[in-house]
Amino acid sequence: MSGRFFLATDPEAVAHAFAVAAPAMLPPRYNIAPGQPVEIVRMIHGRRELALVRWGFIPSWVKDPRKYGPFINARAEGIAEKPAFRGGMQYRRCLVPASGWYHWQEGRDGRRRPWAVRPADGGLIGLAALWDPWLGADGSEVDGGLIVTVAAGGDIAGIADRMPAIIPAEDRERWL
């Protein structure tokens, strides 16, 4: 999976699709990049909440993020056993509302060709994700998130080897 996705719908549609009370906080965006704020849907005290986090996950136990850079993606295979993601898998799963993502494929001529991958019906998808609060030595707190990836399947396998894990609407409650 590349490091870009898009959310091209109005805030009310996001709130309705993900069963959250408040409408989305950000306008539609067509090129969301690592380090930028992203909306996530998470469970807090048994209720779904829409929150903003930075796209870049720094495990809570990291002292200096410059030496242990933020993760933007994590492979689903073995994620629950990796120290950096174990806590997130157990306690801080979330969904990233998206309209699709971008993938760049290198052509035979050596030039990179962009692909916008989205559902055929144009609807919203929920990308499997983790979030984690990171506390700095100065007392600052940054909530960061990452997107979980899986081996590409179906039509996507023709252009990429990885893709975001998409949680179907009927499985979102179980993921959270």
Side-chain angles (χ1 to χ4, degrees):
M1 177 181 160
S2 71
R4 305 283 173 134
F5 70 95
F6 55 100
L7 179 58
T9 189
D10 64 272
E12 290 77 23
V14 173
H16 177 69
F18 289 90
V20 292
M25 296 164 241
L26 298 172
R29 296 184 295 157
Y30 299 89
N31 191 11
I32 302 169
Q36 292 182 340
V38 295
E39 292 165 326
I40 63 167
V41 176
R42 63 186 177 186
M43 294 294 280
I44 299 291
H45 306 295
R47 296 183 50 205
R48 283 189 189 198
E49 169 187 274
L50 192 63
L52 282 179
V53 301
R54 186 185 75 159
W55 187 10
F57 181 101
I58 302 169
S60 58
W61 44 265
V62 169
K63 301 283 186 245
D64 185 355
R66 293 172 300 188
K67 294 180 181 174
Y68 200 93
F71 296 99
I72 61 167
N73 298 326
R75 292 175 173 257
E77 302 85 5
I79 194 171
E81 288 81 42
K82 293 190 169 83
F85 312 125
R86 193 177 307 138
M89 276 298 292
Q90 190 168 7
Y91 303 111
R92 290 176 297 281
R93 294 181 191 197
C94 62
L95 295 164
V96 173
S99 299
W101 71 93
Y102 296 107
H103 178 75
W104 281 262
Q105 180 185 41
E106 192 163 329
R108 293 184 192 126
D109 59 359
R111 295 174 56 184
R112 292 169 46 97
R113 179 180 178 185
W115 291 84
V117 182
R118 61 179 175 251
D121 67 2
L124 287 168
I125 53 178
L127 306 180
L130 305 177
W131 70 279
D132 205 24
W134 179 79
L135 298 173
D138 62 355
S140 62
E141 182 175 334
V142 177
D143 286 347
L146 63 76
I147 296 171
V148 178
T149 67
V150 295
D155 293 339
I156 308 304
I159 62 166
D161 31 335
R162 305 289 301 169
M163 62 182 268
I166 299 169
I167 306 297
E170 63 271 12
D171 294 331
R172 290 177 183 164
E173 195 69 30
R174 187 173 38 193
W175 172 256
L176 293 173

